[in-house]
Amino acid sequence: MSTKATSGNFVAIDFETADYQRDSACAIGVIRVEDDQIVDRSHFLIRPPRQKFQFTHIHGITWSDVKHHPTFAELWPNLQPKFAGSDFVAAHNANFDRSVLNACCQIAELDPLPLPFLCTVQLAREVWNIRPTKLPNVCDFLDIPLQHHQALSDAEACAKIVIAARQQ
């Protein structure tokens, strides 16, 4: 999706995963944006299908943090309405978040979201010619507060990147 297609309402998301498998989402941050205003912030811990956590050193989430939380399938009825009426989904390195969402939907026997994804890495490169374009780099450039690898903070940063690009 090019920067020209960033109009409309959208949801920015960020997943944290427990292991190298894409179906291992253990947290999701969801930011809903309408008319360039953040109207909803949601954070959910998710019980992944395996107890093995390989990325605790990155995001700080452990099995004991999520073992009593819903699986993705159990969470979906609360999560799906957050995407209703959105024109696209934004994520930093969107291929990763789209693949996690699709893998979680597949294992839960759910249809994947029919929404296009906007990658804020590509957006930052196109609009501001930022390199490197890791999320902390883009946030530093745009003066966006960030607690990196905290799903809600990362998702909100993505939303603010899209909003800032629209105001260019």
Side-chain angles (χ1 to χ4, degrees), residues 38-111:
I38 294 174
V39 297
D40 184 59
R41 291 173 176 86
S42 300
H43 178 262
F44 300 97
L45 292 176
I46 304 166
R47 186 175 71 243
R50 293 166 298 283
Q51 294 183 23
K52 184 177 182 181
F53 273 65
Q54 294 173 291
F55 299 127
T56 297
H57 67 283
I58 295 173
H59 50 57
I61 302 168
T62 65
W63 174 254
S64 61
D65 295 325
V66 300
K67 66 183 178 183
H68 298 297
H69 284 271
T71 64
F72 185 84
E74 293 165 342
L75 178 62
W76 189 243
N78 295 323
L79 194 56
Q80 185 181 23
K82 300 199 175 288
F83 295 90
S86 295
D87 296 297
F88 63 92
V89 177
H92 206 73
N93 189 10
N95 286 338
F96 172 79
D97 292 282
R98 179 179 35 228
S99 69
V100 171
L101 179 61
N102 289 342
C104 288
C105 285
Q106 183 177 10
I107 200 169
E109 299 180 354
L110 301 165
D111 292 331

Side-chain angles (χ1 to χ4, degrees), residues 6-36:
T6 61
S7 63
N9 297 331
F10 68 96
V11 172
I13 65 169
D14 181 75
F15 279 104
E16 299 300 329
T17 55
D19 62 35
Y20 287 99
Q21 302 301 311
R22 293 294 197 238
D23 66 353
S24 71
C26 59
I28 183 173
V30 183
I31 302 291
R32 184 164 177 81
V33 176
E34 297 174 2
D35 300 321
D36 286 345

Side-chain angles (χ1 to χ4, degrees), residues 107-167:
I107 200 169
E109 299 180 354
L110 301 165
D111 292 331
L113 281 178
L115 295 171
F117 272 70
L118 169 72
C119 182
T120 54
V121 169
Q122 297 302 320
L123 187 65
R125 288 177 181 165
E126 290 177 25
V127 175
W128 300 288
N129 197 28
I130 298 173
R131 291 208 177 33
T133 46
K134 292 184 183 291
L135 190 55
N137 302 114
V138 179
C139 289
D140 285 346
F141 180 83
L142 296 173
D143 199 28
I144 295 171
L146 178 68
Q147 293 177 316
H148 196 31
H149 296 300
Q150 197 287 331
L152 187 62
S153 181
D154 288 359
E156 186 161 343
C158 290
K160 289 179 177 180
I161 292 167
V162 174
I163 293 166
R166 289 175 167 184
Q167 295 171 352

